Amino acid sequence: MKRTMMSLIGVAVALAAVTGVAAVAGPDGGTQDAPRGSTRLPVQRSALLCPAPTSSEVGETAYTAFAPKGAAAGADGKKGTAQLLPAGTVQDAAGAGDGKGKKNPKGGKGKGSAAGSAAGQTVPPRDTKPVVPLREAGRPVTTTTDSSGAPALVGAADGAFAPGWTVQQTTSVAAGAGRGLLGLSCTTPDTTFWFPGVSTATDRQDYVHLTNPDSTPAVVDLELRGKDGALGGSAGEDISVPPHTTVPVLLSTLTGAPTTNASLHVVAREGRVGAAVQASDGKLGSDWLPAAADPSPSVVLPGIPKDATSVRLVALAPGEADADLKVQLATPTGMITPAGVETLHLKSGMTTAVDLKDLTKGEAGSLVLTPSGSGSKVPVAAALRVTRGKGDKQEMAFIPATRPVVKRATAVDNRGKDSTLSLVAPEKGKDAKVKVTASAGSGGGTPATKTYTVKGGTSLDIAPPRPAGLKGSYALTVEPESGSGPVYAARMLARPQGGLPAFTVQPLPDDRGSVLVPTAGQDLSVLTS
């Protein structure tokens, strides 16, 4: 009896320990304070994936990594590590997987097709040297490459570097169909992603980059939905993504029907992947389209520039019910309703696109979609394609719906005066008070902090604080004060190329750098009857 009792106690203690570790390592998407009997702790490990940046011979990419100060080290007391490593690529002689869109000389699908990626061979990276490894928190590290064959990157951070670890890749392409500025905050792995705003039209080349961070294969399904529902074709099923490898898939190879406004659903049936879409337009340049926030009855799309010449909304209700939405623009002075687009009806499983034209009319804002009337709250996914400039000097960027900033969000690769920070408090009567900190520069400088108040129901665009004596690039951290109303954020980089208003916008969701860990203790009463 004594031996049985001790065995049961050992099992109970072991289970409690495993539960505690899992809670610390898992994500925290909640917005509530810690419930009674739990403690908020920094995560002990995080992962990021950066897709291959560009195949252009006239492109240059900057990688910038950063971890905020103030996070405690891991349980072992060690400082921690954070670095990215080059990933392999799937290729084969028949022509699939390099992501450059070249035609198969045998007449088959272009490189990057799903069929080829499923059957191709894995080519290991040419170089295994770590990229932008961190040595201290609070100061960004940056490096650049002009290689047209720069690989995708797979990385992890642990210890003090894990909470809030952020990596940005920013690519400038000087000429060609993909010219312009492309920016992406490297993504965390997951099992499902929604990308409203993709296209398979003849004037677009959209690639979804699938990257596997793990040591086991992943199996991914891709589904495209247009205005009438699912687009025909089965080429997007059972795509194999080998361990530590990336697979680019040209979306136009998944269907025979060119579609201008579509939504892409990425589902990892086995394993997990990172996913991002690189969109290239013959007239509007190119940029990355990040995944939208998980479908929700209300969504916020922050950071529409004041000089936007065209804004297109693409949305869908992915479930089995239709959605009716109220469309509003949060401006610096309050909420307004766009003329002619007061409400929006989304049919179940179908993609709807609305041209909002020069929506902002010289005043920066953020789009807010909420359930209309007394109908049911149906989850929706949405994204914006935003254009600046006119004629042959136009440039596009994408703004997907994003999560609110709960504890902290970070934007890196800010240089000089090229950044604009957008903050929106979408709920009337619920002001948001936000602390914005500019880190030390990668080459030197002293951090600076400023606090802003965003009135409920308004949007605020600011030139963020800059470090004194700045050298290199710096990071911005956005932290709502306790008790503030909900706040959403985005950062725009504007780096003109001659007469081209090159720009890119990154949404700033909460970095999920901390989790709630329930307090565990022994309760021997469960062992008695």
Side-chain angles (χ1 to χ4, degrees):
M1 179 68 181
K2 184 176 181 180
R3 181 177 299 173
T4 302
M5 176 76 73
M6 293 304 296
S7 298
L8 287 172
I9 293 174
V11 170
V13 172
L15 286 173
V18 171
T19 302
V21 171
V24 172
D28 173 31
T31 60
Q32 297 179 349
D33 293 333
R36 187 176 182 181
S38 65
T39 305
R40 183 172 289 276
L41 296 175
V43 298
Q44 294 182 347
R45 185 174 176 83
S46 55
L48 290 176
L49 306 169
C50 307
T54 181
S55 60
S56 173
E57 300 290 343
V58 290
E60 181 177 86
T61 298
Y63 294 99
T64 308
F66 177 79
K69 276 187 174 181
D76 56 6
K78 293 183 179 179
K79 181 178 180 179
T81 60
Q83 64 182 20
L84 296 154
L85 296 173
T89 304
V90 169
Q91 292 181 328
D92 72 347
D98 70 355
K100 297 181 181 180
K102 295 179 180 178
K103 298 296 182 181
N104 180 357
K106 297 182 181 181
K109 293 179 178 178
K111 289 190 176 186
S113 70
S117 60
Q121 64 180 17
T122 301
V123 178
R126 299 174 185 174
D127 189 4
T128 57
K129 183 179 179 181
V131 178
V132 287
L134 288 182
R135 293 177 176 82
E136 63 174 310
R139 183 184 299 276
V141 175
T142 185
T143 189
T144 60
T145 178
D146 59 3
S147 172
S148 61
L153 304 175
V154 177
D158 56 26
F161 293 146
W165 182 47
T166 303
V167 179
Q168 164 96 5
Q169 66 174 45
T170 309
T171 303
S172 177
V173 179
R179 91 289 186 272
L181 190 67
L182 300 84
L184 180 71
S185 184
C186 296
T187 61
T188 56
D190 208 337
T191 57
T192 183
F193 304 86
W194 284 100
F195 296 94
V198 301
S199 174
T200 63
T202 55
D203 59 351
R204 280 267 292 266
Q205 277 202 333
D206 286 16
Y207 282 90
V208 59
H209 291 247
L210 308 171
T211 308
N212 182 356
D214 299 322
S215 57
T216 56
V219 179
V220 178
D221 288 342
L222 304 178
E223 182 189 19
L224 286 167
R225 300 190 187 184
K227 63 182 180 63
D228 297 318
L231 299 180
S234 59
E237 296 179 355
D238 298 320
I239 298 174
S240 177
V241 186
H244 309 299
T245 299
T246 189
V247 176
V249 180
L250 180 60
L251 297 186
S252 60
T253 63
L254 304 182
T255 177
T259 302
T260 299
N261 302 302
S263 299
L264 171 67
H265 191 200
V266 177
V267 178
R269 289 191 289 107
E270 297 180 19
R272 57 179 187 160
V273 295
V277 172
Q278 189 179 54
S280 179
D281 187 283
K283 295 181 179 179
L284 304 177
S286 60
D287 206 349
W288 289 99
L289 170 58
D294 291 340
S296 173
S298 298
V299 298
V300 178
L301 303 97
I304 305 172
K306 64 181 180 181
D307 60 351
T309 52
S310 175
V311 178
R312 176 183 294 172
L313 169 64
V314 181
L316 81 158
E320 298 181 354
D322 294 357
D324 288 292
L325 299 172
K326 184 178 181 180
V327 181
Q328 291 180 297
L329 181 70
T331 73
T333 56
M335 292 284 195
I336 65 172
T337 301
V341 196
E342 292 83 1
T343 60
L344 184 65
H345 179 73
L346 303 180
K347 293 183 179 180
S348 169
M350 302 179 185
T351 298
T352 298
V354 179
D355 281 320
L356 302 173
K357 301 180 181 179
D358 56 340
L359 173 70
T360 57
K361 298 188 183 299
E363 196 172 52
S366 301
L367 202 65
V368 179
L369 307 178
T370 55
S372 175
S374 58
S376 60
K377 297 182 178 180
V378 178
V380 300
L384 298 173
R385 190 201 71 184
V386 179
T387 304
R388 297 173 70 217
K390 295 181 179 180
D392 61 353
K393 298 294 185 180
Q394 296 185 73
E395 166 78 335
M396 71 175 182
F398 296 93
I399 303 175
T402 187
R403 302 191 307 270
V405 182
V406 180
K407 294 297 181 181
R408 182 184 57 212
T410 303
V412 296
D413 196 22
N414 305 282
R415 312 174 202 171
K417 299 180 180 180
D418 62 355
S419 298
T420 300
L421 182 63
S422 297
L423 304 171
V424 55
E427 297 187 19
K428 292 182 180 180
K430 294 185 178 181
D431 298 354
K433 199 170 185 179
V434 181
K435 183 178 74 171
V436 179
T437 301
S439 75
S442 57
T446 305
T449 299
K450 191 170 182 179
T451 299
Y452 302 88
T453 298
V454 188
K455 292 185 177 181
T458 71
S459 184
L460 176 66
D461 267 27
I462 58 172
R466 296 173 59 202
L470 171 65
K471 293 182 180 179
S473 67
Y474 65 99
L476 289 170
T477 54
V478 178
E479 299 173 279
E481 293 193 358
S482 179
S484 286
V487 63
Y488 296 74
R491 188 275 314 270
M492 180 179 79
L493 294 177
R495 297 174 185 169
Q497 299 176 359
L500 183 72
F503 77 114
T504 181
V505 180
Q506 281 75 59
L508 305 181
D510 191 86
D511 65 16
R512 293 177 172 174
S514 62
V515 291
L516 296 177
V517 181
T519 301
Q522 295 184 14
D523 183 2
L524 300 184
S525 65
V526 300
L527 303 178
T528 62
S529 58

